[in-house]
Amino acid sequence: MTELAMQQERRSRMLTKEERKVILASSAGTIFEWYDFYLYGSLAAIIGAQFFSSFPEATRNVFALLAFAAGFLVRPFGALFFGRLGDLIGRKYTFLMTILIMGTSTFFVGLLPSYETMGAAAPIILIALRMLQGLALGGEYGGAVVYVAEHAPRNQRGYFTSWIQTTATLGLLLSLLVILVVRTYTGEKDFAAWGWRIPFLLSIFLLAISLYIRLSMEESPAFKKMKEEGRQSKAPLSEAFGQWKNAKFAVLALLGLVAGQAVVWYTGQFYALFFIQSVLRVDLFTANILIAWSLILGTGGFIIFGALSDKIGRKKIILAGCVLAAATYFHVFEFITATANPMLHAAHQKSEVVVVAAKDDCSFQFNPTGTSKFTSSCDNARSLLARSSVNYHVEDAPSGTVAKVKIGGKEITSYDTTKLSGDAARSVPAAFTAAINAALGDVGYPVPGKPNDSIVKVTSFFGVFTAQAFPLVLALTYLVILVTMVYGPIAAALVELFPTRIRYTGMSLPYHIGNGWFGGLLPATSFAMNAESGNIYFGLWYPIIIALATVVIGVLFVPENNGKDITAD
């Protein structure tokens, strides 16, 4: 055991003033970074109207979501760039850079003129700012985690780093609450016109606080010791990923820990929100309030499971969370449907919907960027039914057959978009949609223009304590607890896999590939799977299969390094 490790071992379990400062500074800054990052996602539709107004509504929403996705896609590149810097020049100065980039990028989004004022330069600058945000976030998380872990006593590393794990959830919660307050204060019309800028502009104050706190911090003791002894890596990227002895741990971290953690995290927080709003048609305010309460009730689990991992190990808790998620997701989401939208759930039980189509007319509707076009009669029919949250099955028809939809004794013929032109290109799809909605309404499905008083409705922040809303809060809190199981101990587990000289670089890349790509693709993949199968729950197989694969790889190949002396190298 090294002298530094012995000093850490002798510490009391009571946090010192310096340790509290390390946790506060790292966590507060990271909360603000996540707050900045999530603002865009929460306001994507409004931002689309501001910066892509020259396009039709559907197209502008696609471009707004593409800009949102850009922030996820560049995160691994930020992990590589800032991870290398962190291993070369130090943890403290690197995550000072990341928070400065994130904070100023977010502030400038609030100042950026709209398309009407600035023209095509506005959306180009917006996407550039969004990519800067993603790059900064790619470097921030690894820096904060490594900094805290290298300050922590070896027997409290899970507890210390679990505070960083709360930051993504608290950043999401903070962004939701700020948006709700500003929206309520300004009113819907003014919020859409100019009020949406306020949450972005407020980030400048959060940036100032974070910079003030972080400038007063010292470099991590493990990095200082390594630097004094001249043992720094001269080429962190090639050492971390070009040498199999280190690269294998990046692969194991991705496939045996992070992939499962990512899909459980995104399902419990982001897909749950998407499912409630887009599939169950719960209004935006109610959905955000339900999610906010679940985050408030469940966030303490990060600290509990992080501390527990110091006693029984990281891997057991992470993989147990993956197993529980895989075993319960179908039951939980069906309960959410039955509670949030009883009319839809009842229609699923009693009404059969059939699409009769040729196999070669149907394609897999995977569309992560929103730019793919599905034009066949089968795709048009299935896409409409999937957007209407209808459960259906497909019956084979001879090749060349135009797809038909059977609902309650009615048979409605679909259309091929490529064969329509002029007025028919507008009238035929509209007539098909109207006929489908009328037939669905006749068999008990909720449809546009027909009242559905069974959908859960909350009118105030404390309006969740009703017989319908509160069980939903509890179900969503259970999903958040699963998130805390897989996410609370993951930082300590990743830190302990890599030596000090390449730790920042080594752990950042698998984390951001797992969460940025495995997790970030979850909504698009799940929706495509729902459309392919004709079942609103089928997309849950995506997180379930990845979580179970992670369990197998984790059990067989990932070492348990709980309590490891991370300064010994």
Side-chain angles (χ1 to χ4, degrees), residues 417-434:
T417 306
T418 61
K419 297 179 180 178
L420 302 177
S421 60
D423 291 340
R426 293 183 295 273
S427 61
V428 171
F432 178 69
T433 300

Side-chain angles (χ1 to χ4, degrees), residues 154-472:
R154 63 190 296 179
N155 62 343
Q156 291 181 272
R157 198 174 295 131
Y159 171 66
F160 269 53
T161 56
S162 66
W163 289 95
I164 298 295
Q165 302 309 92
T166 68
T167 59
T169 295
L170 292 176
L172 172 61
L173 177 61
L174 181 62
S175 69
L176 291 176
L177 293 178
V178 170
I179 289 169
L180 286 172
V181 169
V182 174
R183 188 176 234 139
T184 302
Y185 179 77
T186 61
E188 289 297 324
K189 184 177 179 181
D190 285 342
F191 184 82
W194 55 267
W196 66 271
R197 297 180 181 274
I198 295 175
F200 287 92
L201 297 175
L202 288 175
S203 67
I204 199 69
F205 298 104
L206 304 181
L207 172 63
I209 295 168
S210 299
L211 284 175
Y212 174 78
I213 296 173
R214 288 190 174 185
L215 282 169
S216 65
M217 295 162 60
E218 299 292 334
E219 183 55 87
S220 98
F223 184 85
K224 283 198 297 185
K225 183 173 184 294
M226 180 180 68
K227 186 176 181 180
E228 289 166 0
E229 296 174 356
R231 294 187 291 107
Q232 290 168 267
S233 174
K234 299 296 188 292
L237 289 178
S238 60
E239 188 174 341
F241 307 116
Q243 301 176 16
W244 179 243
K245 67 177 182 178
N246 294 320
K248 68 181 180 182
F249 290 112
V251 175
L252 290 177
L254 175 61
L255 301 179
L257 291 173
V258 180
Q261 167 261 303
V263 295
V264 173
W265 181 29
Y266 273 78
T267 303
Q269 292 187 180
F270 299 103
Y271 187 69
L273 181 59
F274 167 83
F275 186 83
I276 291 172
Q277 287 183 233
S278 301
V279 178
L280 303 185
R281 300 293 187 264
V282 176
D283 69 88
L284 177 65
F285 182 86
T286 298
N288 284 340
I289 291 295
L290 293 173
I291 292 292
W293 269 103
S294 71
L295 296 179
I296 291 169
L297 295 176
T299 295
F302 291 111
I303 310 301
I304 294 170
F305 290 113
L308 184 61
S309 75
D310 288 322
K311 300 180 181 295
I312 68 173
R314 329 291 186 203
K315 193 170 79 167
K316 293 185 184 73
I317 298 173
I318 294 170
L319 300 185
C322 289
V323 170
L324 280 174
T328 59
Y329 271 168
F330 281 115
H331 302 293
V332 173
F333 276 84
E334 187 169 357
F335 172 81
I336 290 172
T337 300
T339 307
N341 194 338
M343 185 177 179
L344 177 64
H345 183 258
H348 286 162
Q349 309 307 308
K350 68 181 183 181
S351 303
E352 183 182 39
V353 178
V354 180
V355 176
V356 181
K359 284 185 178 180
D360 58 6
D361 198 41
C362 303
S363 56
F364 185 62
Q365 299 185 25
F366 179 61
N367 191 17
T369 64
T371 56
S372 300
K373 301 294 183 184
F374 302 101
T375 59
S376 72
S377 62
C378 175
D379 289 343
N380 284 327
R382 291 195 306 163
S383 178
L384 177 57
L385 294 174
R387 292 197 307 270
S388 302
S389 307
V390 175
N391 280 352
Y392 61 91
H393 67 270
V394 179
E395 291 182 357
D396 290 341
S399 181
T401 302
V402 177
K404 297 179 180 179
V405 182
K406 295 180 179 179
I407 306 172
K410 294 182 179 179
E411 192 172 274
I412 302 130
T413 301
S414 185
Y415 61 95
D416 188 324
T417 306
T418 61
K419 297 179 180 178
L420 302 177
S421 60
D423 291 340
R426 293 183 295 273
S427 61
V428 171
F432 178 69
T433 300
I436 291 289
N437 285 339
L440 290 174
D442 290 342
V443 297
Y445 269 96
V447 294
K450 195 172 182 179
N452 180 6
D453 295 332
S454 73
I455 295 182
V456 64
K457 179 78 174 176
V458 172
T459 57
S460 69
F461 187 76
F462 292 100
V464 297
F465 299 101
T466 65
Q468 186 178 20
F470 195 64
L472 285 171

